Structure formats: C-alpha cells, structure tokens
C-alpha cells in the first residue's frame, strides 16, 4: 500500500488490510438502514434555533487567563464559560 493509500481512523491509527477486510465483512453481514445513516448530521451540534455564529472578541491577557482557569476548574471549555457569562448578563438586563 503506498502512502497515498493509507487509511486512518479519526484518532489517526493506521488501518491495516486486515482491519479493512474486517470492516467490509461487518458491512456485508449487518443490515444497516441506509436512510438512517444518510440522515445523520455531521459537524457540531446545533446550539439554538439555527447555526451558531462565531463572534471575535478581544480579551486582555488577564481576563483570558481567568477564563481558562475557570474552564479548567469546571472541566469545560472557555467558550462555554463565555456563553454562560453572557446568558447571565443578558438575563439580568
């Protein structure tokens, strides 16, 4: 197999010919519902009534560090910390 033909999993593991044969056999042996598979959405899950927008914001280094520290402490993302802060701010407005 040439380098152009190398297949990898999403996590980067190289699939061997044996792996590909096993996957092919699974597909042949399993009764997949093609319509269900076609209906699966790709990409990030929806966050509201429509596609989410990315809004660039400038942050002071100290604020960015505080957001990152809070996200780490709460085992979440910086984006979720910012969204929650905005939700709380807008609810109080």
């Amino acid at each position: 197999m040439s380098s152009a033909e190398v297949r990898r999993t999403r996590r980067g593991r190289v699939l061997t010919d044996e792996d590909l044969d096993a996957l092919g056999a699974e597909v042949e042996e399993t009764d997949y519902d093609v319509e269900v598979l076609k209906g699966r959405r790709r990409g990030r899950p929806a966050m509201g009534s429509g596609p989410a927008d990315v809004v660039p914001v400038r942050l002071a280094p100290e604020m960015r560090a505080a957001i990152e520290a809070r996200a780490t402490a709460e085992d979440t993302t910086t984006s979720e910390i910012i969204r929650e802060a905005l939700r709380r701010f807008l609810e109080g407005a």
Side-chain angles (χ1 to χ4, degrees):
M1 186 180 293
S2 73
S3 62
E5 297 172 335
V6 171
R7 304 284 189 243
R8 296 180 184 272
T9 65
R10 288 184 183 181
R11 293 187 178 190
R13 185 175 72 82
V14 174
L15 294 170
T16 64
D17 288 338
E18 292 79 20
D19 293 328
L20 295 172
D21 290 341
L23 288 169
E26 178 186 340
V27 169
E28 290 174 0
E29 295 170 2
T30 306
D31 186 23
Y32 287 109
D33 186 339
V34 175
E35 294 307 313
V36 169
L37 294 173
K38 284 182 179 179
R40 288 186 181 169
R41 292 182 44 102
R42 292 186 179 187
R44 295 183 177 173
M47 296 181 64
S49 61
D53 290 328
V54 174
V55 181
V57 176
R58 291 179 187 256
L59 299 173
E62 300 81 13
M63 184 177 285
R64 175 68 187 245
I67 292 168
E68 290 173 352
R70 180 77 177 259
T72 300
E74 295 187 16
D75 194 29
T76 190
T77 64
T78 56
S79 294
E80 187 53 39
I81 295 295
I82 293 167
R83 282 191 292 269
E84 181 61 25
L86 282 171
R87 276 187 216 100
R88 291 180 184 188
F89 174 79
L90 294 171
E91 288 172 0

